[in-house]
Amino acid sequence: MEPADLTAHRCIAYGDAHGELSPWSFERDGHAVTVVPGRGPVFNDGDLLVAAALEGFGILHIWEDLVAVPIADGRLTRLLDPWCEPFAGYHLYYPDRRGTTAFELFKEMLQVSRAV
């Protein structure tokens, strides 16, 4: 399967508040390809995207860590492996070394998320 083949399939897409669909980007051997998904349901929430994939509504393009468990237990299957480079990991950026440290910012973010 190649990224261009996705146009013949139902794809579960992420859409913003204006109805714009997020394009799907792939790269293989230095060759980049962008596909705009279509012909499937559109959501603006990651949990709904994953739920739709688990219910069989179509093909999903999402961060692998959000679907690691369903992939591991066989409920979802990876497609286009040669076109999906491994994710190097998350990075945290902050303005300068004299201000708040990245660790302090991360701690604040955790405290806010627990309060919500």
Side-chain angles (χ1 to χ4, degrees):
M1 181 175 217
E2 300 289 321
D5 298 332
L6 291 170
T7 59
H9 295 276
R10 253 188 346 191
C11 297
I12 304 164
Y14 178 86
D16 66 15
H18 305 289
E20 296 290 321
L21 300 181
S22 290
W24 295 4
S25 299
F26 302 94
E27 186 174 338
R28 182 178 183 181
D29 301 327
H31 177 68
V33 175
T34 301
V35 176
V36 177
R39 299 186 49 206
V42 177
F43 300 100
N44 66 352
D45 178 87
D47 292 334
L48 292 174
L49 290 163
V50 173
L54 289 168
E55 291 297 321
F57 284 98
I59 297 172
L60 175 64
H61 184 268
I62 197 165
W63 296 104
E64 188 170 355
D65 62 333
L66 298 177
V67 290
V69 171
I71 288 173
D73 65 21
R75 290 181 291 154
L76 293 178
T77 303
R78 288 182 55 123
L79 300 174
L80 298 166
D81 269 343
W83 287 91
C84 299
E85 294 292 323
F87 180 57
Y90 296 101
H91 301 278
L92 182 61
Y93 297 96
Y94 56 97
D96 61 43
R97 294 186 187 277
R98 292 171 289 193
T100 305
T101 67
F103 180 72
E104 290 168 338
L105 288 172
F106 186 67
K107 246 174 72 175
E108 288 175 25
M109 287 173 32
L110 286 176
Q111 289 172 347
V112 169
S113 69
R114 288 184 187 147
V116 175

